[in-house]
Amino acid sequence: MNMSMIISEEYPLSAYQKDIWLEQCMHPDKPIYNIGGYIEVKGPLDTALLEKAIMRLIHDNDSLRIRLTDNKGEPRLTLLPEVDYKLPFHNFSMKEDPKKYCLAWMRTEFLKPFQPDDYYFQFGLLQADTNTYFILLKGYHLVIDGWGFALLINRMMDNYNRLAQGTVDTNTATYSYTDFILDNQEYLQSATFLKDRDFWKNKFATLPEPLFGKEAVSGRSSEDSVWSDRQTLAINKTQYNQMLEFCKAEGCSSFHYFLGLLFLYFSRVCNRSELVIGVPVFNRSKVQYKQTLGHFANVLPLRISPEQDMTFKELLRFIKRELMQCYRHQKMPFGEIHRAVYEHSKDKGNLFDISLSFEEQDINNAFHGTICGNVTMTHHHERNALTLLIWGHEGEGDVAVNFDYRIQNFAEFIPIEDVIRHFEHLFAQGMQHSDKLISHIDIVPGDERSVQLHDYNQTTADYPREQTIQERFEEQAAGRADHPALVWDGQLLTYRELNARANRLARTLRGRGVQPDDIVAIMVERSPEMVIGILATLKAGGAYLPIDPNYPEERIQYML
């Protein structure tokens, strides 16, 4: 690539950038921090003017000229004083299905991770036909966030339109991202930082239980090309506006409403009294930062832990209070929060498995003489089990709620299609039954509830009611001794083998003093050993107490 190699002054990474850098080091060849999407353009587009508009954009915003360098093992930022960028142009109008080809090409490009010697942005212009274009907009999260991307799109269009009309504004105010870096360094050495640290340590004095278990954060094999996928729920704009009116009347926001729905659903489905949700914040405390391209965003772990059952209205007010309290300490980088919370813990887990990103900055602009539509893209490598991405806008179109979900987690939990259907149902239920206790609000539609309660429960079957479970198993073992009884991860145990191993363990338990009705704790991952342990406990006359090894140490000790 052709870029200037004259390097300017060196800067430290902001703490928020360093969080990204550290996690990227753990997944060096994965696009875990690719963000952006594409613009579909209907109408005539001047490719030369677009390239000039992008060049002006890069010239005016130093975050687009950031390079990462290594200084004795520490990452540092340097700024290229200028970049000679050539906009790649691809004419795919001769392909069999040009639009489909353009979309496939952009998906492939979007999944390519940025390399150290690359620009940390990628533009691409694709032509599908005479009046249909696609503009790929891909950025590295280390140099730009969601708010910054909205700024980028609006400014690129403004630059293009001024060039098209011959009214280039040379006096437009531009701000440097380095101002924020210096502010962040001062904060990290301040008394405010220590106060924020104490707040978050107290907030998580007891560690939350993983919502989906440790596998939700363990990641997939490095060979896996895809970890996550995206499905989208379109909320009717009329119904969405009704929600906005409801929230206005209750003195809360649409963001509180979606947080309430997430708590209501997952606390019920997972049988939890609390839920921690990752909440991205813009973290742009100064007016100039709201006009600066760069990475400012932070993530706060919002702990929703009502002490008692409450109505949905009361839940929204509770969430509002909790969120306002967290916002007072939002400058504390998530990496620092995590280190403070797990400072004395052996198990360095995730503080949350679900996050909610809600953005309301509109992109109402368009290239001169065209109609434009903006689409976000997914990098298919979510580390959270579930991330909801919502873009609230003022237009008349439906509101898209993107569910970016880890495939493995929802294959083992609830099909994502069911989660989305339930969420759509709850979206209306929250307004219609806001005075009901949240424990009494139906989380599934009536027809599905009927199937679950009645159709699925037609399980009447005759069986020897005088026999115990272990006696029934031994009867099966005698009659089907060499048939498969247990299959697990390539292993196979016949009824004879499973029965023999359970009998050996049962004799050991009796030898250790287990008597009828004694409780035997079983703490093991799902495996053949777990089944053997359950059968052996029953054969010894005891009752088994299952304990998930992924539970926090404090809960395990309490159960024991």
Side-chain angles (χ1 to χ4, degrees), residues 19-150:
D19 286 349
I20 289 176
W21 176 80
L22 285 169
E23 190 165 8
Q24 186 70 76
C25 288
M26 297 169 61
H27 307 285
D29 298 317
K30 300 296 181 183
I32 60 173
Y33 281 114
N34 288 5
I35 66 170
Y38 63 87
I39 304 172
E40 183 174 0
V41 183
K42 291 289 188 179
L45 190 66
D46 188 319
T47 57
L49 285 189
L50 180 61
E51 182 172 272
K52 289 180 181 179
I54 291 172
M55 280 297 299
R56 176 68 187 273
L57 184 72
I58 297 169
H59 176 271
D60 289 346
N61 297 278
D62 58 12
S63 63
L64 297 179
R65 292 181 271 112
I66 282 177
R67 299 299 308 283
L68 265 183
T69 57
D70 183 278
N71 188 338
K72 299 179 181 178
E74 279 294 312
R76 304 285 289 181
L77 296 180
T78 55
L79 305 179
L80 295 171
E82 56 186 54
V83 170
D84 183 18
Y85 185 74
K86 301 298 182 185
L87 176 66
F89 173 69
H90 304 276
N91 188 341
F92 294 137
S93 60
M94 301 303 292
K95 299 295 181 181
E96 182 177 352
D97 187 336
K99 182 174 180 178
K100 183 178 180 181
Y101 194 91
C102 288
L103 295 175
W105 185 92
M106 288 190 293
R107 281 194 295 269
T108 300
E109 287 297 307
F110 198 79
L111 291 179
K112 293 180 181 178
F114 285 97
Q115 300 301 322
D117 293 333
D118 288 346
Y119 299 122
Y120 292 147
F121 61 84
Q122 180 182 355
F123 298 96
L125 177 60
L126 286 62
Q127 184 173 9
D129 59 47
T130 306
N131 284 302
T132 304
Y133 297 85
F134 293 90
I135 302 173
L136 174 67
L137 304 170
K138 171 183 163 186
Y140 189 26
H141 203 18
L142 188 133
V143 303
I144 194 167
D145 55 23
W147 181 280
F149 241 105

Side-chain angles (χ1 to χ4, degrees), residues 435-454:
D435 289 318
K436 271 189 177 183
L437 294 174
I438 54 177
S439 61
H440 294 168
I441 296 177
D442 291 335
I443 64 173
V444 298
D447 54 349
E448 183 178 342
R449 182 180 178 84
S450 177
V451 170
Q452 291 176 349
L453 292 178
H454 304 294

